[in-house]
Amino acid sequence: MGQRFEFGFFDCLICEQAGILPYEMHTDVNAIIKAADAIVPLAGRLGVPPPPPHLYQMAYCHVSTLGCQVVNGPELKEPSAKPCLKSPADIDNLREPDDYLACGVVPQRLEVVRRLKARRPDASAHIGHDLEGPVTTAGLMLGGETFFMLPYDDPGRAHRLLDFCLRSILNYTRTLRRHQGRAFGGQTEMVPDDFGGMFPPPLFGQFVSPYWDKLYCGAGATRRILHSELLREGHLPLLAQIKIDEFDPSVDQFLPAEVVARACPVPYCLRIWPSRVRRQTADELVAFYRHLAGFKPTYIMFHLEHLADLPKIEALLKVARELEK
């Protein structure tokens, strides 16, 4: 077996192909179905499976159940979330909701999925990330500038907030998956926690990696995949300590492939991000793909973000298929 690869379409590309607004893929079943049908010919041209009908990805479903306001609308390309805690003192009064399925954006998104699957049984049931990481969750709830100073100013409250986030993430995910008839426990789990690298290694070992370990344990993960975009080389040895099975550095500016290959103690994937696709020629991208393949990652991932980049993606798919043989 040669070098594996994964390819996909970003949701913004699916919207571009269908001529719809991103907001419509959060709210409009007709638009979601139109988008899914519109991408089929392009997927056929590229020789890849078309993505099923699905809601536009969202990372804020869980934090919305805890009081974070999700800002979204036709004029926005992406939703955002506002902190729900005004000060660290509010951490002392945190309580989980009585019913996660009745809070925040969850009821609306579940209803869109229900109507979508009634018309297209092949549609995805996912409404957003299940196991969003505890550090990112805490940063969203309190605001990044405040939370990332908390371990220095009030470590007790920082741990209290992270403990709450961990417990809430697990209870939210368990409740949602039970409602949707999806498994909880005994399977591979991917945790995205991009803000974990905001803490230097000495604090990382106190305020990040222990909570990642507890999250995987609480979810009963049989295989642990971590996605985090802000780690540095000094963080990487800690991944083995918490038994990460595969690391996805994604677009981590501090971890070029050479550093990951040198310092990462666990298997890892590598990505070609759309910014590189936009600025490089097809020949340059093919050369870069071969360069990445030389590090022997578990797989190389790339996406189509804009139709204008289609010839470059066709060149990447050609070399990816060649090296996979």
Side-chain angles (χ1 to χ4, degrees):
M1 182 84 178
Q3 175 60 61
R4 285 179 52 225
F5 75 94
E6 292 189 6
F7 166 76
F9 300 100
F10 277 128
D11 282 345
C12 60
L13 179 282
I14 296 173
C15 292
E16 181 184 356
Q17 177 77 353
I20 64 173
L21 297 173
Y23 179 72
E24 295 178 273
M25 281 189 66
H26 291 286
T27 59
D28 188 331
V29 170
N30 290 329
I32 295 170
I33 293 174
K34 178 183 178 181
D37 291 341
I39 203 68
V40 171
L42 182 56
R45 171 178 168 174
L46 295 176
V48 299
H54 62 278
L55 273 71
Y56 205 114
Q57 186 61 270
M58 180 183 284
Y60 307 124
C61 293
H62 169 241
V63 294
S64 79
T65 69
L66 302 177
C68 289
Q69 178 189 357
V70 175
V71 180
N72 199 9
E75 72 284 1
L76 300 176
K77 291 184 178 180
E78 299 282 349
S80 60
K82 293 184 177 181
C84 57
L85 302 176
K86 295 181 179 179
S87 73
D90 292 337
I91 294 169
D92 301 341
N93 300 314
L94 282 171
R95 298 289 185 276
E96 291 186 69
D98 293 331
D99 183 1
Y100 279 106
L101 304 182
C103 301
V105 301
V106 173
Q108 177 265 333
R109 292 179 73 80
L110 285 174
E111 175 59 17
V112 174
V113 164
R114 185 192 68 78
R115 290 189 282 114
L116 177 60
K117 289 190 74 66
R119 292 178 55 186
R120 290 289 297 268
D122 61 321
S124 169
H126 287 274
I127 64 171
H129 296 323
D130 293 349
L131 295 172
E132 184 71 48
V135 180
T136 299
T137 300
L140 290 170
M141 292 178 67
L142 188 57
E145 289 186 9
T146 302
F147 173 68
F148 296 124
M149 292 304 299
L150 202 59
Y152 301 94
D153 299 335
D154 193 341
R157 276 202 172 107
H159 280 298
R160 203 172 306 150
L161 178 55
L162 287 167
D163 284 332
F164 173 84
C165 291
L166 173 67
R167 184 170 64 253
S168 180
I169 292 163
L170 290 169
N171 288 336
Y172 164 78
T173 303
R174 185 183 295 107
T175 300
L176 178 63
R177 291 189 186 176
R178 183 185 299 125
H179 173 75
Q180 295 187 318
R182 295 191 287 129
F184 182 81
Q187 62 186 357
T188 295
E189 294 289 358
M190 192 279 287
V191 171
D193 205 347
D194 288 336
F195 290 165
M198 293 294 290
F199 296 120
L203 286 178
F204 187 92
Q206 300 176 50
F207 293 95
V208 182
S209 54
Y211 291 95
W212 286 352
D213 186 45
K214 291 175 184 177
L215 185 58
Y216 287 114
C217 287
T222 56
R223 187 166 180 267
R224 302 179 175 196
I225 300 177
L226 174 70
H227 168 108
S228 192
E229 296 183 355
L230 294 173
L231 301 188
R232 276 73 161 175
E233 183 172 354
H235 293 111
L236 296 183
L238 296 170
L239 300 184
Q241 296 179 19
I242 54 174
K243 300 182 176 69
I244 297 298
D245 292 294
E246 183 174 280
F247 172 50
D248 172 18
S250 189
V251 292
D252 196 323
Q253 60 185 310
F254 305 107
L255 292 179
E258 293 79 3
V259 174
V260 177
R262 177 177 71 239
C264 189
V266 303
Y268 56 87
C269 68
L270 295 172
R271 296 189 184 218
I272 300 178
W273 205 244
S275 58
R276 181 180 290 273
V277 175
R278 286 194 300 271
R279 71 175 185 265
Q280 290 193 327
T281 66
D283 288 344
E284 288 171 334
L285 288 167
V286 167
F288 184 66
Y289 189 97
R290 293 183 181 278
H291 172 69
L292 294 184
F295 296 111
K296 301 188 184 304
T298 55
Y299 63 90
I300 300 172
M301 177 180 285
F302 55 99
H303 291 79
L304 178 59
E305 183 182 41
H306 295 294
L307 288 172
D309 295 324
L310 184 56
K312 299 178 183 180
I313 292 298
E314 289 179 314
L316 279 173
L317 282 169
K318 182 179 179 181
V319 70
R321 288 167 175 146
E322 173 191 329
L323 296 183
E324 189 179 45
K325 295 177 182 179

